[in-house]
Amino acid sequence: MKQVIVVTGASSGFGALAARALADAGHTVYASMRETTGRNAVHVKAVQEFATTHKADLRAIDLDVASQESVDSAVRKIVEENGRLDVIVHNAGHMVFGPAEAFTPEQFAELYDVNVLSTQRVNRAALPQLRKQGRGLLVWVSSSSVAGGTPPYLSPYFAAKAGMDALAVLYARELALWGIETSIIVPGAFYQGHQPLRACRRARRQTASGGVRSRTL
């Protein structure tokens, strides 16, 4: 059955790949990103080119997960264009690299806002529609770091992902009563498009060779 899907943070990385795969499978997919007429205009063009080349229903939409107004507007547009919204993929996130003590509380809070509170903004905008339908699916892109065995110097990101993971579990229990399903995806490291992860990989190689260097981004 064809689904109407929105993927947050879909300008690059997991989000872009997921949006394209889902659209290629025959679904209507909204690849959300901020600044669609600014720095992400090149990614909007890439979405349009993919849709044309693959004859897929893939659409870019301006959605800033840090702004409730932007989220509300995007979700409203999706519902107006399709009459429904079936799947939400919580993929948007932000990562920094450096020793935990180097970050200020404000910087930690910023990471929590992007990785945790952003999902709450999207849920508040979209869940009324899913409850009205009596069905839907929330997909949360978590991190293998939640299960432990994490590399050093990514503490703010890992802590935020743990918070998001806990929120997802609690939401799952509540939303099941409304016929809304939950899936939590726990991927491993993905280096393409992520400067902090590439820096972490370099630091680990340097540590193994006797030289240690860290950067705070």
Side-chain angles (χ1 to χ4, degrees):
M1 179 180 176
K2 185 175 183 177
Q3 304 289 307
V4 178
I5 304 170
V6 60
V7 182
T8 66
S11 63
S12 62
F14 283 142
L17 292 172
R20 284 159 172 73
L22 290 166
D24 229 7
H27 301 292
T28 295
V29 183
Y30 287 82
S32 86
M33 59 193 80
R34 58 182 177 175
E35 299 181 38
T36 53
T37 59
R39 66 185 181 88
N40 278 324
V42 63
H43 297 300
V44 172
K45 183 178 180 181
V47 165
Q48 295 168 341
E49 291 175 349
F50 181 93
T52 300
T53 302
H54 292 253
K55 294 182 172 56
D57 194 359
L58 178 63
R59 317 175 191 183
I61 189 168
D62 196 296
L63 189 159
D64 181 357
V65 295
S67 165
Q68 188 67 62
E69 181 181 0
S70 174
V71 172
D72 290 345
S73 176
V75 170
R76 185 165 54 249
K77 179 179 180 181
I78 293 171
V79 174
E80 287 175 352
E81 290 180 352
N82 301 276
R84 71 183 203 274
L85 173 57
D86 302 305
V87 182
I88 302 162
V89 181
H90 287 302
N91 170 76
H94 182 60
M95 181 184 294
V96 291
F97 174 74
E101 67 183 275
F103 295 94
T104 66
E106 291 75 20
Q107 288 172 318
F108 261 81
E110 181 181 355
L111 263 290
Y112 275 74
D113 187 271
V114 175
N115 292 287
V116 185
L117 299 185
S118 66
T119 65
Q120 181 68 359
R121 295 186 185 100
V122 175
N123 284 349
R124 283 176 58 82
L127 285 178
Q129 177 64 32
L130 271 62
R131 285 200 309 274
K132 179 181 177 182
Q133 297 166 181
R135 61 180 174 80
L137 170 64
L138 265 61
V139 179
W140 305 70
V141 181
S142 183
S143 168
S144 57
S145 63
V146 175
T150 61
Y153 307 129
L154 290 168
S155 296
Y157 174 73
F158 289 157
K161 278 298 185 181
M164 190 212 77
D165 194 271
L167 183 62
V169 171
L170 295 169
Y171 255 115
R173 295 169 182 166
E174 296 182 10
L175 296 178
L177 301 173
W178 298 91
I180 300 170
E181 299 179 272
T182 297
S183 290
I184 303 174
I185 298 175
V186 184
F190 183 70
Y191 293 97
Q192 184 176 350
H194 292 281
Q195 293 289 344
L197 273 177
R198 287 200 292 269
C200 181
R201 184 169 56 178
R202 286 195 300 269
R204 293 177 72 180
R205 286 200 301 264
Q206 290 160 357
T207 299
S209 62
V212 181
R213 182 181 67 182
S214 65
R215 295 190 303 159
T216 300
L217 302 179

